[in-house]
Amino acid sequence: MGSKLDFSVLSRGEYPQWIWHGVLTMFELTLAAWLFAVVLGTVLAVIRMADSRVAKAFVSSYVEYHQNVPMLVQIFLWYFGMPALLPRVAQQWLNVHNSEFLLAFVSIGLCMAAYVSEGLRGGVRSIPKSQLEAARAMGLSYLQASRLVVLPQALRIALPTLVSHSVLLFKNTSLAMTIGVAELTYATREIESQSFKTIEVYMLSTVIYLGVSLLIMTAGAGLESRYRIRTR
């Protein structure tokens, strides 16, 4: 007969502290990468709206690269490759200020910014160009018209897609464990390697990841319904 499940192992020694620290790091990494991705993705979407072939080609190339190269490869490139191109002073600063976390959130944020940009682009394309032209005719600059007229409407339309991308970003933070970021997956692996309680440990991390993903989707559904009520 197989051995019984024993979840009490998770409360032994330093394991609770490792799990708690892993969860906090997971949320910190998610928030940092999400903010970076949303800001950069919005900028890319605005640039792509401009009547410039060079700007559109640049954003298109950026999106194609980040959507077609595995995120794990991008994380490795930033962690193992990019620091070597920096001056020694910058390398020393990174080493002192948790380079694993910083390079993880930058690489994940850069990658997910491409998805955010495409999500907003889909929302922008559904808005008649006459609205932008009318805003320009009223004296607004291109950036003002984009920020005050086009983007708010595009955000409402693209909200379901952006929520899905947010969940994807959250799940992909687990890849940061490959470069030593002590988030939840890293903590889970460390506990499993010491306790040999594979099922119990990974069931806990599964429940946490599933619970947070469902919370993000629920919050997104709430925002979507709120926007619908406002527009009626």
Side-chain angles (χ1 to χ4, degrees):
M1 296 179 63
S3 59
K4 295 181 179 179
L5 296 179
D6 181 16
F7 288 95
S8 65
V9 68
L10 300 174
S11 62
R12 298 174 188 169
E14 295 182 325
Y15 294 165
Q17 183 180 351
W18 291 1
I19 295 170
W20 177 245
H21 181 267
V23 170
L24 288 180
T25 304
M26 175 189 71
F27 281 123
E28 291 173 355
L29 182 58
T30 299
L31 180 60
W34 185 84
L35 290 173
F36 186 29
V38 169
V39 172
L40 180 58
T42 302
V43 172
L44 292 173
V46 171
I47 293 175
R48 201 162 191 174
M49 290 164 53
D51 293 327
S52 171
R53 292 184 178 180
V54 175
K56 290 181 178 180
F58 167 76
V59 177
S60 178
S61 300
Y62 180 96
V63 170
E64 289 298 322
Y65 167 77
H66 286 91
Q67 286 190 340
N68 290 286
V69 176
M71 186 179 291
L72 183 59
V73 174
Q74 297 181 42
I75 292 174
F76 284 161
L77 175 63
W78 273 90
Y79 183 69
F80 294 108
M82 291 301 177
L85 303 177
L86 298 175
R88 182 175 297 274
V89 175
Q91 294 180 25
Q92 293 174 348
W93 186 90
L94 280 174
N95 292 333
V96 173
H97 293 86
N98 196 355
S99 61
E100 292 85 3
F101 182 91
L102 292 175
L103 294 173
F105 102 75
V106 168
S107 55
I108 294 173
L110 286 172
C111 181
M112 293 308 302
Y115 292 86
V116 172
S117 173
E118 285 296 280
L120 288 174
R121 179 178 174 232
V124 169
R125 293 177 66 179
S126 64
I127 299 172
K129 291 184 178 180
S130 58
Q131 293 198 24
L132 179 61
E133 295 171 354
R136 296 296 302 276
M138 292 175 63
L140 297 178
S141 66
Y142 171 75
L143 290 178
Q144 289 175 327
S146 300
R147 179 172 61 88
L148 300 175
V149 178
V150 178
L151 284 179
Q153 298 181 74
L155 179 61
R156 294 187 180 96
I157 296 171
L159 186 57
T161 302
L162 296 179
V163 171
S164 297
H165 292 337
S166 298
V167 174
L168 179 63
L169 184 152
F170 162 68
K171 293 187 296 184
N172 282 334
T173 58
S174 62
L175 296 175
M177 59 89 70
T178 58
I179 59 173
V181 179
E183 44 73 64
L184 179 59
T185 305
Y186 183 95
T188 300
R189 187 184 65 172
E190 290 297 304
I191 295 173
E192 189 275 335
S193 65
Q194 293 192 19
S195 66
F196 302 104
K197 295 292 184 179
T198 303
I199 297 178
E200 292 89 338
V201 175
Y202 282 106
M203 280 185 67
L204 174 64
S205 63
T206 298
V207 169
I208 294 175
Y209 278 113
L210 178 60
V212 176
S213 297
L214 292 175
L215 284 176
I216 295 174
M217 290 187 288
T218 301
L223 286 174
E224 188 177 357
S225 62
R226 184 177 179 183
Y227 279 134
R228 286 177 180 174
I229 293 173
R230 285 185 175 182
T231 54
R232 287 178 181 175

